[in-house]
Amino acid sequence: MAEPVLQLTDVVKNYGKTQALKGISLSVAPGEIVGLLGPNGAGKSTLFQLAGGLFAPDAGTVKVFGMNFRESASQILSRLGVMFQARAIDLDMTVEGNLKFHGALFGLHGRQLRERIEAAATLLEITDLLKRPVRTLSGGNQRRAEVARALLNNPDLLLMDEPSTGLDPTTRRMLVKHVQQVREQHNTSILWATHIVEEVADADRI
């Protein structure tokens, strides 16, 4: 059996006297879509912050691609795509400007960067929006631009923390379709956190 791309074992995270995660264990296999269901305040975002390397657990272990962030952060991040619940895109830059900036952080330049942007924009159906400032886009199109940005480095693991927040039902279904296409085309593993059951109805595991 292939090694999990994400493995959390007995993970604990506290914020003062508040225990956000209490001995959580979770794994995601290569090419697998896993839906993480839970109400607001259940600790989903905390789990994603640990899986994305923003914080370290108070107890337990977090391994991504068989490595830990303390020793192998750069190797992990080069293969990781992350979309957090809160907006994390420059509203005053164009979509293309955001993608170019993010791609440069992964060492992408010139023709390779242009091809990656073209591929991601085509997949997310935002090619005609590349020259527009993000601020002028609908919430749904802003979210699609964020997904495109998270895909530029062709991640082996995509972490999506309630990516459809604020989206209407039609746009939400479109986002689900695009993410499924990402898995089909690149065998990307996906951990999708949500409190909306319908979003992860077609996940391999919930």
Side-chain angles (χ1 to χ4, degrees):
M1 182 176 293
E3 181 179 46
V5 295
L6 175 64
Q7 180 74 61
L8 285 78
T9 306
D10 299 327
V11 170
V12 174
K13 184 63 180 178
N14 302 310
Y15 296 105
K17 295 182 179 180
T18 301
Q19 190 168 50
L21 297 177
K22 183 180 180 180
I24 295 296
S25 295
L26 171 73
S27 66
V28 180
E32 184 179 37
I33 297 180
V34 176
L36 182 64
L37 282 174
N40 292 332
K44 300 188 302 297
S45 293
T46 296
L47 188 151
F48 272 68
Q49 289 165 349
L50 298 180
L54 292 181
F55 299 108
D58 296 324
T61 59
V62 176
K63 287 191 175 183
V64 187
F65 312 122
M67 301 175 283
N68 63 67
F69 280 99
R70 178 175 295 180
E71 299 174 352
S72 309
S74 60
Q75 294 97 314
I76 293 173
L77 293 174
S78 68
R79 301 171 58 190
L80 189 65
V82 183
M83 188 174 174
F84 291 115
Q85 182 178 0
R87 292 286 194 273
I89 193 167
D90 192 312
L91 298 178
D92 295 316
M93 293 176 66
T94 64
V95 173
E96 185 177 44
N98 270 281
L99 296 179
K100 285 182 176 179
F101 178 78
H102 190 72
L105 296 178
F106 285 94
L108 300 173
H109 301 283
R111 179 178 178 181
Q112 184 184 36
L113 178 55
R114 290 194 300 272
E115 290 177 346
R116 294 282 184 90
I117 290 175
E118 179 180 351
T122 299
L123 176 64
L124 276 300
E125 300 179 17
I126 57 170
T127 301
D128 58 336
L129 304 177
L130 287 175
K131 302 298 184 181
R132 289 180 54 181
V134 173
R135 188 180 299 279
T136 67
L137 305 182
S138 67
N141 284 333
Q142 288 183 17
R143 269 323 216 184
R144 286 200 278 172
E146 287 192 278
V147 176
R149 187 184 62 177
L151 297 178
L152 284 182
N153 61 321
N154 287 340
D156 293 313
L157 172 62
L158 180 60
L159 303 176
M160 305 186 74
D161 184 11
E162 299 196 26
S164 66
T165 298
L167 301 185
D168 61 82
T170 299
T171 306
R172 184 182 298 123
R173 287 192 292 271
M174 184 177 295
L175 180 62
V176 171
K177 181 192 76 172
H178 290 323
V179 172
Q180 290 171 339
Q181 289 176 329
V182 169
R183 195 269 292 271
E184 292 169 3
Q185 293 184 16
H186 302 287
N187 198 40
T188 304
S189 302
I190 299 167
L191 180 61
W192 181 308
T194 181
H195 59 271
I196 302 173
V197 178
E198 291 79 8
E199 285 185 4
V200 289
D202 294 326
D204 298 306
R205 285 191 296 125
I206 295 177

